């Protein structure tokens, strides 16, 4: 066991994957000498050489497209997208090429590609630097999408993503990069699957589902709620595509109430998918309609106001109160609030 | 896959009218484009460069003092921005990236507007139509397509204004920039591609983006190109005027590569000592665009103490106004986040705004404030 930051844990996981498999190559802008703008690849080019850690030209479509070519050739590229908002120039390659190649070739060509994306807000950045684009990718079949929330998962899941024969989008909550945690580097990688959700805090009154940057906030909300006599079960999805609905379903059958929180905008977001799927599975166990606490349907706002857009402890607690039918910000309304 | 570093994408002849030591070089092809620049004209260019360097220093200081979230310095690129910026007509339209504060200054930007985005108070600083300049573009290269489309519109309207787009050496790797050149050539659009090759794209040297001089690519698209000494304000003015004239008279697009150097960090969040050799900075400091024009002015007796003092006073005044504008900028209103997402009403968003308003009232304003500050504490853990 050692204590390390989130960012360091990803670095350690990348290092391990590169040591274990010479076909693993890293690609991205500024990832070599600089170690990436967040220093996640710090020291890797020095130790593995510039043939394994490639500073690429400034072209996201180019990066993803050439990574597809490398995959044809048996490599396992790990691509860094510098910031969430810069994944869009590569969108076509990801959704039309990366996602579909295995299907198009009846399984003949594998695309064991990992796309690392620092995502989410909360660091006071300019536009295009704080986006939560995960739903675009969960909507595309053929892609696996995961998001990590703590150093141990970061270390393990980056290796599992690289080892996967499917393309994986690996979303890193950038505002948590400096969070420290215990990491067991000797852990058996096969003991867990990155596709499984995890119960962070057990509870009996409400199920609170989240992932990535909001997991610590949700955990804090559960602690605050328990002071108020409400028992909240927090679930960290970890995998956003596919979603481990069995774990969520089990929890909701127990609690009868579901709150989903994410930074991404509400409409067409993952919260909608989870609410619909759980309603299908647990309709007769639900005591209240699922409640979403999310970012607004707006472009990510300028930094002075970003903390109004991002769900915080109080907004989550308000959502919990809504699910419980307790006094809440909408309780003066008639009918179904939500 | 080691990178082939042999090719030298920087060696090529540059249009130069002022040598690094300040000597005026005559140039048969380009002198005529600046024949009207008299003593007062040279002094004005000098003042512009001093002022924008001062704006840059002041904004950098404001960032260090916590008044701005971030700032992208233009230190070293004054000649490229003033030379090209001062060539433009009021009805020309600029599509730039984030570093062209000197160009915005030439367009007559309100100084406070220059800082709104970097202070985190707004999504954009100015009304594009007020100064004929689009808001700074962060997505590398995207603006080159907008400029080309604008130029196609100019052409369709039978007007003679020109779209000018600014971007870096790194941007030339993007598909967008290459697609912009295809469109510009196909439609013979009156657009100028003004590439400030400042040698670096964050930590990546220009040789990672280009195996031959960047200006050599444009002819492959059917676009004439020129490499200019980007630290020579007069040469930048001359080549831009020539390109503008070509565009106005139906000659289509031009690609200008201004070879210059970013002397500071990429942004205030960057640490260039991690990737850049100190000697390189020294070499380029010897080609400083302002020192060069100062030497020319001095040799001609145009830089008296009186002139220097006046220029300094102007820069001081601009810096003081910039600082004042920054510090006294009103804080944004919370519900403004819902404004302008659409130009027509949207019932989904209206509902969200309505709920959030109710949430804020529920907590009452004092509680809501402490909720926001709790979250920022929580986020920083
Ligand atoms: C599409 C996209 N990818 C990545 C980035 C991150 N980024 C911001 S500036 C920059 C380097 C730009 O270099 P260059 O084009 O040479 O312009 P310069 O900053 O040197 O003026 C990078 C990689 C971005 N803003 N947009």
């Amino acid at each position: 066991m050692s204590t390390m930051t989130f960012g360091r844990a990803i670095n350690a996981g990348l290092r391990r994957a590169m040591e274990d498999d010479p076909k693993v190559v890293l690609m991205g802008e500024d990832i070599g000498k600089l170690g990436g703008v967040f220093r996640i690849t710090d020291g890797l080019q020095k130790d593995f050489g510039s043939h394994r850690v490639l500073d690429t030209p400034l072209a996201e479509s180019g990066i993803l497209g050439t990574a597809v070519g490398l995959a044809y050739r048996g490599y396992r590229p790990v691509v860094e997208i510098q910031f969430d908002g810069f994944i869009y120039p590569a969108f076509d390659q990801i959704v039309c090429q990366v996602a579909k190649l295995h299907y198009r070739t009846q399984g003949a060509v594998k695309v064991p590609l990992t796309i690392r994306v620092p995502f989410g807000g909360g660091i006071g950045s300019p536009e295009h630097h704080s986006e939560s684009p995960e739903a675009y990718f969960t909507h595309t079949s053929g892609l696996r999408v995961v998001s990590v929330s703590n150093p141990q998962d970061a270390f393990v899941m980056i290796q599992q993503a690289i080892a996967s024969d499917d393309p994986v989008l690996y979303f890193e909550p950038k505002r948590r990069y400096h969070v420290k945690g215990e990491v067991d580097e000797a852990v058996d990688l096969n003991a867990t699957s990155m596709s499984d959700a995890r119960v962070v805090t057990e509870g009996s009154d409400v199920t609170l589902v989240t992932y990535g940057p909001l997991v610590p906030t949700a955990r804090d909300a559960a602690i605050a709620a328990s002071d108020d006599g409400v028992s909240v079960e927090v679930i960290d999805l970890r995998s956003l595509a596919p979603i481990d609905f069995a774990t969520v379903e089990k929890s909701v059958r127990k609690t009868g109430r579901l709150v989903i929180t994410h930074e991404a905008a509400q409409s067409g977001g993952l919260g909608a998918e989870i609410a619909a799927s759980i309603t299908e599975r647990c309709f007769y166990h639900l005591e209240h309609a699922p409640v979403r606490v999310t970012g607004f349907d707006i472009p990510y706002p300028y930094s002075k106001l970003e903390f109004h857009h991002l769900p915080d402890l109080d907004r989550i607690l308000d959502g919990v109160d809504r699910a419980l039918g307790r006094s809440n910000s909408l309780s003066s309304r008639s009918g179904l609030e939500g | 896959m080691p990178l082939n570093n042999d090719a030298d994408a920087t060696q090529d002849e540059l249009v130069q009218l002022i040598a690094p030591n300040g000597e005026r070089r005559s140039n048969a092809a380009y002198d005529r484009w600046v024949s009207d620049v008299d003593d007062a004209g040279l002094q004005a260019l000098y003042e512009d460069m001093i002022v924008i360097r001062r704006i840059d220093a002041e904004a950098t200081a404001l960032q260090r003092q916590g008044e701005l979230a971030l700032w992208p310095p233009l230190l070293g690129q004054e000649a490229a921005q003033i030379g090209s910026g001062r060539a433009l007509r009021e009805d020309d339209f600029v599509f730039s990236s984030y570093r062209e504060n000197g160009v915005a200054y030439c367009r007559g930007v309100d100084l406070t507007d220059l800082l709104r985005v970097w202070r985190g108070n707004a999504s954009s600083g100015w009304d594009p139509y007020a100064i004929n300049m689009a808001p700074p573009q962060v997505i590398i290269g995207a603006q080159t397509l907008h400029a080309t489309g604008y130029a196609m519109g100019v052409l369709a309207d039978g007007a003679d204004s020109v779209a000018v787009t600014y971007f870096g050496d790194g941007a030339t790797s993007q598909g967008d920039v290459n697609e912009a050149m295809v469109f510009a050539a196909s439609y013979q659009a009156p657009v100028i591609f003004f590439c400030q090759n400042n040698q670096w794209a964050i930590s990546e040297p220009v040789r990672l983006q280009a195996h031959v001089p960047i200006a050599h690519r444009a002819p492959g698209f059917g676009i004439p190109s020129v490499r200019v000494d980007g630290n020579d304000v007069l040469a930048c003015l001359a080549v831009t005027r020539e390109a503008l004239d070509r565009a106005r008279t139906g000659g289509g697009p031009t690609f200008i590569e201004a070879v210059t150097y970013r002397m500071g960090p990429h942004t205030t969040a960057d640490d260039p000592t991690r990737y850049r050799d100190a000697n390189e900075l020294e070499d380029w400091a010897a080609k400083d665009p302002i020192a060069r024009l100062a030497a020319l002015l001095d040799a001609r007796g145009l830089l008296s103490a009186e002139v220097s003092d006046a220029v300094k006073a102007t820069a001081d005044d601009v810096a003081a106004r910039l600082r004042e504008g920054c510090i006294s900028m009103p804080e944004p209103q919370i519900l403004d986040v819902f404004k302008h997402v659409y130009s027509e009403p949207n019932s989904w968003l209206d509902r969200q705004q309505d709920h959030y308003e109710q949430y804020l009232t529920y907590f009452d304003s004092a509680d809501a404030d402490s909720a926001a500050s709790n979250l920022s504490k929580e986020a920083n853990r």
Side-chain angles (χ1 to χ4, degrees), chain A residues 25 28-31 33-35 37 39 42 50-51 54-61 70 75 82 85-86 89 122 124 126-129 175-176 179 216-217 219-220 266-267 295-299 301-305 307-308 310-315 318 327-333 336-338, chain B residues 1-3 67 69-70 117-123 136-140 170-171 173-175 201-204 208-209 269-271 274-276 331-338 341-342 348-349 351-356 358-360 362-363 367-372 374-376 378-381:
Chain A
V25 293
E29 295 158 8
D30 301 294
I31 68 168
K33 241 188 194 162
L34 189 65
V37 290
R39 313 282 185 261
D42 206 12
S50 56
H51 61 297
L54 279 72
D55 264 334
T56 64
L58 210 179
E60 288 76 10
S61 182
L70 282 159
Y75 283 89
Q82 198 159 75
F86 311 148
E127 57 179 353
H128 310 298
H129 288 75
R175 70 164 136 149
R176 308 288 185 191
V179 170
T217 315
R219 198 191 45 220
D220 291 348
Q266 185 166 96
S267 300
F296 304 122
D297 291 350
I298 60 173
Y302 32 99
S303 57
K304 283 269 171 76
L305 294 183
F307 289 112
H308 286 281
L310 297 170
D312 65 358
L313 190 81
D314 291 320
R315 273 177 68 199
D318 186 56
S327 164
N328 66 78
S329 68
L330 300 179
S331 43
S332 61
R333 306 240 151 179
L336 254 191
E337 65 296 278
Chain B
M1 285 149 268
L3 177 70
E67 298 291 345
L70 191 76
V117 167
W118 305 109
R119 193 165 163 83
N121 281 46
S123 303
Q137 177 63 251
V138 170
I139 299 300
I140 299 297
S173 295
Q174 290 283 357
I202 311 187
S203 75
E204 302 189 334
L208 182 61
Q209 319 287 344
D270 173 44
D271 172 14
R274 281 183 78 103
Y275 53 81
R276 209 158 75 170
E331 290 294 299
Q333 299 294 303
I334 296 170
L335 294 177
D336 284 357
V337 292
F338 296 102
V341 180
Y342 302 93
W348 296 3
L349 192 57
R351 186 166 185 266
Q352 287 182 16
Q353 170 166 349
D354 182 36
H355 283 186
Y356 194 58
Q358 195 162 331
Y359 169 85
L360 292 175
Y362 179 70
F363 268 83
D367 281 1
D369 281 346
S370 83
N374 278 345
L375 177 66
S376 35
E378 184 262 344
N380 289 330
R381 276 189 336 198

Side-chain angles (χ1 to χ4, degrees), chain A residues 29-30 58-60 82-83 85-87 89 129, chain B residues 77 97-100 138-141 167-172 174 196 198-202 204 209 262 266:
Chain A
E29 295 158 8
D30 301 294
L58 210 179
E60 288 76 10
Q82 198 159 75
F83 276 91
F86 311 148
I87 199 167
H129 288 75
Chain B
Q77 300 179 219
S97 76
Y98 40 79
R99 206 183 294 287
E100 282 74 30
V138 170
I139 299 300
I140 299 297
F167 50 97
D169 42 299
T172 61
Q174 290 283 357
Q196 289 181 83
N198 66 5
Q199 312 302 320
W200 291 90
I202 311 187
E204 302 189 334
Q209 319 287 344
R262 154 163 69 76
H266 170 70

Side-chain angles (χ1 to χ4, degrees), chain A residues 65-112:
Chain A
T66 55
V68 169
L70 282 159
Y72 261 110
R73 186 75 202 166
Y75 283 89
R76 292 184 173 273
V78 183
V79 161
E80 174 176 302
I81 296 292
Q82 198 159 75
F83 276 91
D84 34 54
F86 311 148
I87 199 167
Y88 305 120
F91 194 71
D92 166 63
Q93 283 292 335
I94 298 172
V95 303
C96 297
Q97 308 302 326
V98 170
K100 297 181 170 69
L101 190 53
H102 191 251
Y103 192 70
R104 282 171 60 216
T105 60
Q106 285 83 247
V109 179
K110 295 201 191 320
V111 189

